[in-house]
């Protein structure tokens, strides 16, 4: 059996402890680099109609560099860029919305210019949500009710 002198072992302890700390600190960085974090500007978006117990949920991933993953990605990214990634600061659209109460809950999570984004808000109906959030939550090519489409514009 071989014996090691105590001073040698005690001298190696701080080095060993430092190496362990570095290994522990690097492990989470590698885990986040493995694809669990959205690249660039990206948000996971969902819209739930009705109440949370019986609602229908639609969702998509919005990436903005380049715009993709959303049926109106370029417009949604432009809205977010103008609002500096703050969904509450998206410029509201003019719309004529009914007073019908048909709640929808909009959720967003992800990153915008390196900052985390978490957003949840319930609107009285889809028209109000689209008017207040622009194209960000316009999933499934929804357009603002109350605004004429190109085919509905009367000819002069």
């Amino acid at each position: 059996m071989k014996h090691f002198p105590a001073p040698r072992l005690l001298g190696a302890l701080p080095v060993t402890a430092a190496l362990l700390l570095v290994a522990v600190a690097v492990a989470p960085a590698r885990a986040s680099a493995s694809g669990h974090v959205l690249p660039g500007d990206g948000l996971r978006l969902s819209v739930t109609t009705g109440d949370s117990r019986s609602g229908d949920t639609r969702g998509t991933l919005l990436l903005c560099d380049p715009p993709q993953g959303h049926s109106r990605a370029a417009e949604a990214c432009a809205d977010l860029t103008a609002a500096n990634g703050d969904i509450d600061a998206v410029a509201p659209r003019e719309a004529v919305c009914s007073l019908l109460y048909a709640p929808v809950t909009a959720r967003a999570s992800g990153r915008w210019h390196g900052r985390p984004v978490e957003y949840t808000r319930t609107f009285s109906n889809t028209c109000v949500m689209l008017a207040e959030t622009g194209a960000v939550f316009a999933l499934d090519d929804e357009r603002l009710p109350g605004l004429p489409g190109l085919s509905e514009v009367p000819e002069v």
Side-chain angles (χ1 to χ4, degrees):
M1 184 181 219
K2 211 172 198 185
H3 294 281
F4 294 102
R8 274 185 136 171
L9 285 176
L10 291 176
L13 282 176
V15 173
T16 304
L19 288 174
L20 283 173
L21 285 174
V22 168
V24 169
V26 170
R30 284 187 194 153
S32 65
S34 66
H36 292 92
V37 175
L38 296 174
D41 296 336
L43 299 174
R44 289 180 187 91
L45 304 172
S46 69
V47 175
T48 303
T49 57
D51 64 23
S52 60
R53 294 171 298 208
S54 63
D56 173 40
T57 299
R58 297 181 320 270
T60 191
L61 176 63
L62 171 65
L63 299 175
C64 289
D65 190 20
Q68 59 185 326
H70 184 297
S71 59
R72 294 170 59 187
E75 189 179 348
C77 291
D79 285 343
L80 287 167
T81 298
N84 198 24
D86 181 4
I87 298 170
D88 283 321
V90 169
R93 310 280 202 289
E94 286 191 34
V96 178
C97 297
S98 73
L99 296 176
L100 175 69
Y101 184 70
V104 292
T105 301
R107 290 182 179 82
S109 66
R111 299 190 84 61
W112 187 264
H113 294 296
R115 292 187 327 258
V117 173
E118 289 297 326
Y119 176 88
T120 301
R121 184 166 170 201
T122 300
F123 298 89
S124 59
N125 59 48
T126 302
C127 178
V128 173
M129 176 191 69
L130 293 173
E132 292 187 22
T133 63
V136 176
F137 291 102
L139 310 180
D140 301 337
D141 285 330
E142 295 168 333
R143 64 178 184 83
L144 294 175
L147 298 177
L150 292 178
S151 63
E152 300 169 14
V153 176
E155 292 186 25
V156 184

